[in-house]
């Protein structure tokens, strides 16, 4: 497409989190000259989410606004504005302030946290997804309240860590038989259960919440847990309800089913970040990745597709990290179709790793306090480099030295 035509193209990005902000930045970095509008539902300057469960929650930082000069980038920010619908035939989106026209639309609306049925509106029940959520939870930690966390996933573990650091009494309630049941196999997640007790938190597994009442949580087996505050971390669902009736294809989870260039079923609409799945040739399946690195990397592909500087299909090695209970946990890849699991070190120790192989080739790696394993393993996964399983299972051998 000619630069003259691009200069007349109006790009509208819906969602001002990491994926939306980075799409605006990438468009300018790649020389897109046309008008760019970034619409965010929250009134705050666009901000990064990882500090919400750490520094902001503990009062060590007031915000985590992105270090981006939108004025210098000539990006129009429209904040505190809810988008309610998309009318592709008119090339317009509907907002509370009226319709907004677009030539190219980027959907970057992220995900909504799931709520606990029956707990909506009960005093003292919190989610942790937004800056306002973190600000509301700050006083809970300051007052060293008794806290019940529902869900032992990544966010539940990170909040429990912060709450223990603040001196709160913490009980974590998990319906499955282990933490991270949806993310990791039992043998890998099992050692992590011990981290809770070692930090002074109580972990209750195979425990379902029946009702939440002011000041307490009642479990399905009748147990009652005192709770000045309840923090719910039971997952998230793509925030795509506003696309109903637009003709954009969604999967059963509500995620936009984007193609390998992150284009939706409508040719002039793209989707990126937590709200979109994409086909991975690397893993032979469609992936929905709810992590920061995906929201950072995907926008470069979207910007390249919009500007015509096609950089090839979007198919990164997924990556994320979590800081919990004094440990730095990192994961790269996707282990669903692995046929071999190798331990590097003893999970009873402070540091260890797990490497997943498929036909002798690394496809995923989990590293606990072993960042060098992660860095080297990620490169082996990216390059699909076969390894010698015996050497790869020896924690004293650097992974790059285990190559066949």
């Amino acid at each position: 497409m000619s630069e003259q035509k691009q200069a007349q193209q109006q790009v509208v990005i819906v969602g001002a989190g990491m994926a939306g902000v980075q799409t605006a930045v990438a468009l300018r970095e790649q020389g897109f000259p046309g008008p760019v509008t970034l619409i965010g539902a929250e009134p705050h300057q666009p901000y990064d989410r990882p500090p919400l469960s750490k520094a902001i929650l503990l009062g060590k930082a007031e915000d985590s606004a992105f270090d981006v000069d939108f004025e210098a980038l000539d990006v129009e920010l429209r904040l505190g504005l809810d988008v309610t619908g998309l009318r592709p035939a008119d090339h317009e989106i509907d907002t509370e302030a009226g319709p907004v026209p677009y030539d190219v639309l980027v959907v970057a609306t992220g995900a909504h946290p799931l709520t606990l049925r029956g707990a909506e509106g009960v005093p003292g029940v919190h989610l942790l997804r937004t800056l306002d959520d973190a600000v509301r939870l700050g006083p809970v930690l300051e007052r060293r309240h008794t806290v019940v966390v529902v869900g032992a996933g990544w966010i539940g573990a990170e909040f429990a860590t912060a709450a223990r650091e603040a001196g709160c009494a913490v009980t974590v309630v998990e319906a499955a038989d282990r933490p991270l049941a949806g993310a990791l196999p039992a043998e890998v997640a099992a050692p992590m259960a011990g981290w809770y007790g070692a930090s002074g938190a109580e972990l209750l597994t195979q425990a379902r919440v029946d009702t939440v009442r002011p000041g307490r949580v009642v479990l399905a087996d009748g147990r009652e847990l005192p709770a000045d505050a309840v923090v719910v971390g039971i997952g998230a669902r793509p925030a795509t309800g506003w696309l109903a009736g637009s003709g954009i294809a969604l999967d059963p989870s509500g995620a936009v089913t984007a193609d390998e260039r992150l284009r939706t079923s409508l040719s002039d609409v793209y989707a990126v970040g937590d709200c979109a799945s994409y086909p991975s040739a690397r893993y032979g399946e469609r992936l929905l990745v709810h992590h920061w690195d995906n929201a950072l990397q995907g926008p470069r592909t979207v910007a390249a597709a919009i500007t015509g500087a096609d950089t090839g299909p979007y198919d990164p090695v997924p990556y994320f990290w979590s800081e919990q209970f004094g440990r730095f946990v990192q994961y790269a890849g996707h282990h669903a179709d692995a046929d071999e699991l190798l331990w590097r070190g003893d999970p009873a120790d402070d540091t260890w790793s797990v490497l997943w192989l498929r036909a002798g080739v690394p496809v995923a790696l989990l590293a606990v306090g072993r960042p060098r394993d992660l860095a080297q393993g990620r490169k082996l996964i990216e390059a699909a480099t076969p390894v010698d399983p015996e050497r790869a299972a020896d924690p004293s051998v650097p992974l790059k030295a285990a190559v066949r």
Side-chain angles (χ1 to χ4, degrees), residues 13 15-24 66 106-108 272-274 294-296 299:
I13 303 164
M18 171 63 88
V21 167
Q22 289 301 325
T23 299
F66 290 115
V106 180
V107 177
V272 64
D274 289 6
N294 179 48
L296 174 68

Side-chain angles (χ1 to χ4, degrees), residues 251-331:
D251 71 14
S253 78
V256 178
T257 50
D259 69 10
E260 73 282 355
R261 284 350 186 244
L262 300 181
R263 187 182 272 111
T264 72
S265 55
L266 301 178
S267 61
D268 47 10
V269 182
Y270 295 81
V272 64
D274 289 6
C275 65
S277 69
Y278 61 90
S280 169
R282 183 190 302 277
Y283 291 106
E285 62 180 284
R286 184 168 277 280
L287 299 183
L288 176 61
V289 180
H290 279 205
H291 292 297
W292 186 91
D293 192 63
N294 179 48
L296 174 68
Q297 293 202 58
R300 295 171 199 149
T301 295
V302 171
I306 292 171
T307 59
D310 190 358
T311 51
Y314 182 65
D315 198 5
V317 171
Y319 167 74
F320 70 89
W321 79 97
S322 174
E323 295 174 67
Q324 51 182 270
F325 307 116
R327 293 166 173 84
F328 187 44
V329 183
Q330 295 170 283
Y331 178 94

